[in-house]
């Protein structure tokens, strides 16, 4: 039998717990021998893992790198991040038939290591405004992200992103329209659980990241009062867990709120299945938040939950089209609580049944077909 194609997957993330990259790997691994570059242990689907040092920053956060950014010398800054330098060192001498770059910051490394092989850019967000709510990022890093997209996206053999509205932004600014590959979870063989007992069980899973206004959920439970509970499965953010601790302190007087340790992505649907309503109200504090279509929405569907969200267009569209739950009028705790207060137990059960009916259509099987099409073009 002929040798399998060799594909390099670059992601400046802990790939073993990065749900989107793991799903991407599950498709690539069916077609090729896979080498991964990222933080943490070897992820599922990887034949060979080149582990980046945990403390190696993926942005030019060295004195030289910051000086280059301040001087607007973006070309010189492209590969100065410690993680980029480590990636080039670890992968030196390798040869691949295709390279996958996860997010814009991986593009220079991916193109350097590709050495002429086709590059697939999987853009998890709208890169130029990834953290635009942070002043230092907006002033120093955003222009670098714009430079990377402008320089490298036209050279990519394929591009994908998470939502149609984000694809529109890339097309408008850079003349490259990515295919949409949503953050849908694999199909889970589950059924809706009954809305049992006297309490409607709300649940949320994800990162405890400042800006997402997760305190809104606590305020909602406080306003709803008896008959409602909230369980949280939160991963500490990059702030050393400070925001998570602040949420725990804020919830100290709310006995209906319970914090749990996070669970692995593949275990989420079964873990969430015993709850009733998955909740997420994220204000549009930047371009990505305004267009978010996150993993957790699809995790809620696979868990066969009703869904409650704010008027975020991408999420609201999915919830409305499939009759999955309720959309609040705005992002305030008052509006979120009002959207839930109108729910009867029968309506919650109906929404859970709708999630069950839509579970295959809203699973990764649809998105895997996009990835397979990309690989058909790249690998021939």
């Amino acid at each position: 039998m002929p040798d399998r194609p060799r594909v390099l997957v670059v992601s400046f993330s802990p790939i073993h717990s990065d749900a989107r990259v793991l799903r991407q790997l599950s498709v690539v691994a069916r077609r090729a021998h896979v080498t991964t570059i990222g933080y943490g242990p070897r992820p599922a689907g990887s034949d060979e893992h080149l582990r980046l040092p945990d403390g190696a920053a993926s942005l030019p956060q060295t004195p030289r790198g910051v000086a280059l950014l301040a001087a607007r010398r973006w070309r010189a800054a492209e590969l100065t991040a410690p993680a980029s330098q480590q990636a080039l060192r670890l992968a030196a001498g390798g040869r691949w038939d295709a390279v996958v770059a996860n997010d814009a910051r991986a593009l220079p490394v991916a193109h350097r290591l590709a050495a002429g092989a086709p590059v697939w850019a999987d853009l998890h967000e709208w890169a130029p405004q990834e953290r635009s709510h942070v002043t230092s990022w907006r002033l120093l890093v955003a222009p670098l992200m714009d430079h990377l997209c402008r320089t490298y996206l036209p050279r990519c053999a394929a591009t994908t992103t998470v939502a149609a509205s984000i694809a529109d932004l890339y097309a408008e600014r850079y003349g490259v329209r990515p295919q949409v590959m949503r953050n849908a979870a694999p199909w889970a063989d589950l059924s809706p659980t009954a809305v049992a007992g006297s309490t409607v069980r709300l649940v949320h899973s994800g990162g405890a990241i400042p800006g997402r206004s997760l305190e809104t959920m606590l305020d909602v439970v406080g306003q709803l009062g008896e008959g409602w509970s909230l369980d949280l499965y939160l991963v500490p953010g990059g702030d050393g867990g400070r925001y998570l601790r602040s949420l725990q302190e804020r919830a100290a007087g709310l006995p209906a709120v319970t914090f749990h340790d996070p669970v692995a992505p593949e275990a989420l649907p079964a873990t969430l299945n015993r709850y009733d309503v998955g909740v997420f109200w994220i204000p549009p504090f930047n371009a990505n938040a305004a267009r978010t279509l996150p993993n957790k929405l699809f995790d809620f569907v696979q868990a066969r939950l009703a869904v409650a969200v704010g008027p975020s267009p991408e999420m609201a569209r999915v919830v409305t089209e499939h009759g999955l739950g309720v959309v609040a009028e705005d992002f305030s705790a008052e509006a979120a609580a009002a959207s839930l207060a109108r729910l009867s137990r029968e309506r919650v059960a109906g929404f859970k049944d709708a999630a069950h009916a839509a579970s295959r259509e809203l699973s990764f099987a649809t998105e895997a077909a996009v990835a397979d099409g990309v690989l058909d073009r790249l690998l021939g």
Side-chain angles (χ1 to χ4, degrees):
M1 292 184 62
D3 291 339
R4 303 182 80 203
R6 300 181 65 85
V7 174
L8 175 67
V9 175
V10 183
S11 180
F12 292 123
S13 70
I15 300 175
H16 70 285
S17 61
D18 188 322
R20 182 174 179 87
V21 184
L22 287 173
R23 289 192 290 269
Q24 178 196 100
L25 276 176
S26 71
V27 179
V28 179
R30 295 199 303 261
R31 308 278 295 269
H33 179 282
V34 181
T35 300
T36 48
I37 298 178
Y39 302 105
R42 182 174 68 87
S46 173
D47 296 293
E48 177 188 17
H49 182 55
L50 306 177
R51 181 170 181 168
L52 298 170
D54 291 342
S58 61
L59 291 172
Q61 293 170 236
T62 62
R64 178 173 180 267
V66 172
L68 289 172
L69 294 180
R72 305 171 70 86
R73 295 180 60 194
W74 301 307
R75 184 73 181 180
E78 288 181 357
L79 293 167
T80 59
S84 297
Q85 291 292 305
Q86 289 287 340
L88 294 177
R89 183 183 62 80
L90 291 169
R95 293 291 181 268
W96 293 276
D97 298 292
V99 178
V100 185
N102 283 280
D103 284 323
R105 68 184 64 192
L107 286 169
V109 167
H111 278 269
R112 174 70 64 87
L113 293 173
V119 173
W120 166 14
D122 189 22
L123 304 159
H124 302 191
E125 293 188 290
W126 171 234
Q129 295 188 39
E130 182 184 341
R131 291 178 57 78
S132 58
H133 56 291
V134 178
T135 302
S136 59
W137 198 99
R138 185 172 63 252
L139 296 177
L140 293 175
V141 181
L144 174 65
M145 293 296 115
D146 179 70
H147 162 77
L148 297 181
C149 291
R150 198 174 301 281
T151 301
Y152 289 104
L153 291 184
R155 303 181 191 176
C156 290
T159 56
T160 49
T161 195
V162 297
S165 58
I166 294 179
D168 290 342
L169 290 176
Y170 280 109
E172 291 164 8
R173 182 173 294 187
Y174 304 114
V176 174
R177 180 174 294 279
Q179 289 182 266
V180 175
M181 191 170 82
R182 299 180 298 185
N183 280 325
W187 185 77
D189 188 6
L190 297 168
S191 297
T193 54
V195 186
S198 59
T199 300
V200 177
R201 300 157 297 179
L202 310 178
V203 69
H204 175 89
S205 59
I209 298 172
R212 292 187 176 181
S213 296
L214 302 187
E215 45 274 280
T216 297
M217 296 184 293
L218 308 180
D219 296 342
V220 166
V221 173
Q223 291 183 33
L224 290 171
E226 188 176 351
W228 301 83
S229 67
L230 172 66
D231 286 65
L232 297 163
Y233 294 81
L234 298 177
V235 179
D239 60 353
R242 287 191 299 275
Y243 181 54
L244 176 55
R245 289 191 294 273
S246 75
L247 293 172
Q248 292 169 331
E249 292 168 2
R250 185 168 181 148
L254 296 170
V257 177
T258 304
F259 289 82
H260 302 268
D261 291 334
V263 299
E266 64 272 14
L268 261 178
T271 300
L272 302 180
N273 180 243
R274 65 178 181 266
Y275 298 99
D276 298 314
V277 186
V279 298
F280 190 38
W281 303 284
I282 179 171
F285 64 89
N286 66 17
N288 285 297
R291 295 165 175 80
T292 188
L293 188 59
N295 293 330
K296 59 181 60 56
L297 176 65
F298 299 98
D299 291 333
F300 294 159
V301 171
Q302 293 307 320
R304 308 317 197 259
L305 302 181
V307 178
V309 298
S312 304
E314 293 281 0
M315 285 198 291
R317 184 179 303 114
V318 173
V319 169
T320 302
E321 285 181 358
H322 296 276
L324 302 176
V326 292
V327 178
E329 291 187 359
D330 58 51
F331 296 99
S332 67
E334 292 73 19
S339 71
L340 290 173
R342 292 191 291 268
L343 289 178
S344 64
R345 302 170 71 79
E346 291 73 23
R347 287 188 72 198
V348 172
F351 290 140
K352 295 176 81 168
D353 288 340
H356 187 54
S359 62
R360 287 197 182 273
E361 182 179 348
L362 296 179
S363 75
F364 182 62
T366 303
E367 318 311 317
V370 175
D372 268 320
V374 168
L375 292 171
D376 283 342
R377 298 196 302 277
L378 267 59
L379 301 177

